[in-house]
Amino acid sequence: MPAPFDERDRARIRAELLASGRELFVAQGLRKTSLAELTASAGIAKTSFYAFFDAKESLYGELMLANAPAIRSRLLATLDGEPRAAIGAFLRAVLAVLDEDPLYRRLITHPAELAAVTARLSPERAAELHEQAMPPIGEFLARTGLTGRRPEVVLGLLRAVLLLPLHRNEFGEVYDEVAEQMIEFVATGLTR
């Protein structure tokens, strides 16, 4: 029976698994990424993967949680000032995150992967991810007096804008203009 990993080995292997997970999940997705591919750079057996994560989805979830505080901070910074401008800034910032972070973009453009990852998170980790990744948009709407609409409708409208990256290729060269107009329509409509 092999000796257990010491603390330094565990830290190195975990970092290697996270790095290879980020690279592989972005390049080929959750389902097509094998345990052998994930463990190769860490120099461990496939079965040793489970000493670090209980599933590939858990590794993916940890990658999301690692990025969540920075994304939350970035999005919170937009929720200030005049409501229409703040909603527009928030939506632009979320679309920018999706453009700049291939891991989050992959999840949004592959809903089955997002469902698989979130289903494997413990209720506590799922709540942590939701809290970290989603700024208190409801609080912002209440603070600005935009509570005259059903919250689920408002969130649905905001989410509708975030579905645009799913169709980027269909819009082609007018994607940026379509996204900007959609943001303006939603922000203006919500604040009328």
Side-chain angles (χ1 to χ4, degrees):
M1 180 169 182
F5 300 112
D6 66 22
E7 208 170 306
R8 189 169 51 197
D9 283 339
R10 287 190 66 76
R12 177 192 59 79
I13 292 167
R14 183 174 170 78
E16 286 287 339
L17 290 172
L18 288 166
S20 64
R22 174 176 273 286
E23 182 181 315
L24 291 165
F25 293 148
V26 167
Q28 57 196 37
L30 181 65
R31 290 186 60 182
K32 291 184 180 177
T33 298
S34 71
L35 283 182
E37 291 170 310
L38 287 169
T39 58
S41 66
I44 61 172
K46 291 186 296 186
T47 55
S48 295
F49 174 86
Y50 297 106
F52 298 89
F53 299 97
D54 65 354
K56 293 186 302 183
E57 294 84 356
S58 299
L59 170 59
Y60 208 134
E62 288 301 313
L63 289 166
M64 291 171 51
L65 282 163
N67 288 348
I71 291 170
R72 178 181 174 80
S73 177
R74 182 175 178 182
L75 297 180
L76 278 174
T78 66
L79 295 177
D80 197 21
E82 187 268 322
R84 190 192 64 71
I87 292 169
F90 172 79
L91 290 170
R92 285 182 197 90
V94 174
L95 287 179
V97 166
L98 296 177
D99 281 341
E100 297 162 11
D101 188 323
L103 190 67
Y104 276 83
R105 180 175 52 247
R106 173 90 193 175
L107 282 178
I108 295 301
T109 58
H110 294 80
E113 286 187 20
L114 177 59
V117 169
T118 55
R120 287 298 288 211
L121 293 174
S122 69
E124 297 79 23
R125 294 301 267 173
E128 181 183 346
L129 179 62
H130 186 272
E131 181 181 320
Q132 286 296 319
M134 189 64 189
I137 192 75
E139 290 175 25
F140 167 76
L141 295 172
R143 186 176 74 241
T144 57
L146 299 177
T147 56
R149 300 171 194 270
R150 291 181 28 212
E152 58 272 17
V153 171
V154 172
L155 290 175
L157 288 167
L158 298 176
R159 286 185 184 131
V161 174
L162 304 183
L163 293 175
L164 286 172
L166 285 169
H167 304 284
R168 178 184 284 276
N169 293 337
E170 295 168 37
F171 289 113
E173 65 183 45
V174 299
Y175 172 80
D176 290 334
E177 189 175 346
V178 168
E180 185 57 33
Q181 287 296 313
M182 179 73 108
I183 289 167
E184 285 299 318
F185 291 153
V186 170
T188 300
L190 284 174
T191 55
R192 270 199 266 150

